[in-house]
Amino acid sequence: MAEVKVVQSRESIALITMTAICFILFISPALASSADKEWFTSFEEAQAEAKVANRPLLVRFSGTRWNKLCRQLNKEVFSKETFRHWADENLVVCLLKRLHAKQGNAADAATEAVAQKYGVWAYPTILLLESDGTYLAQMFYEPGGAEH
């Protein structure tokens, strides 16, 4: 039998991954939530793990203390078992929080540095990156979560 090799471009892999994320976020039925998946809070640590695991990196920019849409996105998507199970097998996840526009600290500075690098200007923003940090895709909040 002849050997068949499938070659996929970076763009097609990004499209497939974002399609899967959209399915999980907006189409799949909502399941009861349980404890949150462990999210890296350091971009550098998350990227290192993504390289070791050879998985894409999902970076979530959030202001859950002060931003209603960030809280809704967490409730409707990231706290759902459907997302967590899929992410456990397919992604490395990183949560970068902005405590508040008026509160500056080292964590905010680190978050802002990554946000500037990738052109993040709104919260919540979700980035999909290759393990080396190469930009693949970006998403924002869509109302309705899994029911949307």
Side-chain angles (χ1 to χ4, degrees), residues 4 30 37 41 56 60 67 70 72 87 94 106 113-114 117 133-135 146:
V4 177
K37 174 182 173 37
T41 56
R60 173 180 156 204
N67 187 297
C70 292
Q72 283 181 243
C94 179
V114 177
K117 178 178 180 177
T134 302
Y135 175 91

Side-chain angles (χ1 to χ4, degrees), residues 17 35 45 53 56 79 93 104 121 136:
T17 302
E45 290 176 11
S79 65
V93 293
W121 54 271
L136 293 172

Side-chain angles (χ1 to χ4, degrees), residues 108-122:
D108 279 354
T111 295
E112 289 306 311
V114 177
Q116 277 190 336
K117 178 178 180 177
Y118 292 101
V120 173
W121 54 271

